[in-house]
């Protein structure tokens, strides 16, 4: 089952989630949702080993 990345990003923005992980095989599905997310510039990713990326929301950034 594919992750609902738009929902996960909304949960990051609202504070329901602190972070979520995207595996390399799922990156293109994430990228599609990411490009449609209104505040995508606040979604920050950190690369981990084996291509895994952990995303969080930057609540401190000024718009």
């Amino acid at each position: 089952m594919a992750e609902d990345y738009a929902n996960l990003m909304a949960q990051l923005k609202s504070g329901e989630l602190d972070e979520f992980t995207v595996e390399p095989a799922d990156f293109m599905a994430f990228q599609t949702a990411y490009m449609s997310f209104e505040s995508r510039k606040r979604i920050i990713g950190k690369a981990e080993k084996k291509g895994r990326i952990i995303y969080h929301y930057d609540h401190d950034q000024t718009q």
Side-chain angles (χ1 to χ4, degrees):
M1 183 169 108
E3 291 285 344
D4 182 358
Y5 291 112
N7 186 42
L8 289 173
M9 288 185 285
Q11 289 178 30
L12 285 180
K13 183 177 180 179
S14 72
E16 291 178 59
L17 285 179
D18 291 328
E19 63 184 30
F20 68 85
T21 301
V22 176
E23 298 295 332
D26 300 324
F27 182 76
M28 291 310 293
F30 167 77
Q31 182 71 5
T32 300
Y34 175 80
M35 293 307 292
S36 298
F37 194 68
E38 79 282 351
S39 56
R40 68 180 171 266
K41 291 184 179 182
R42 292 181 141 199
I43 303 290
I44 309 297
K46 180 180 177 191
E48 297 287 316
K49 292 182 179 179
K50 298 184 181 184
R52 191 174 292 132
I53 304 173
I54 299 174
Y55 288 94
H56 72 276
Y57 192 83
D58 184 1
H59 293 279
D60 296 328
Q61 182 180 354
T62 58
Q63 291 225 51

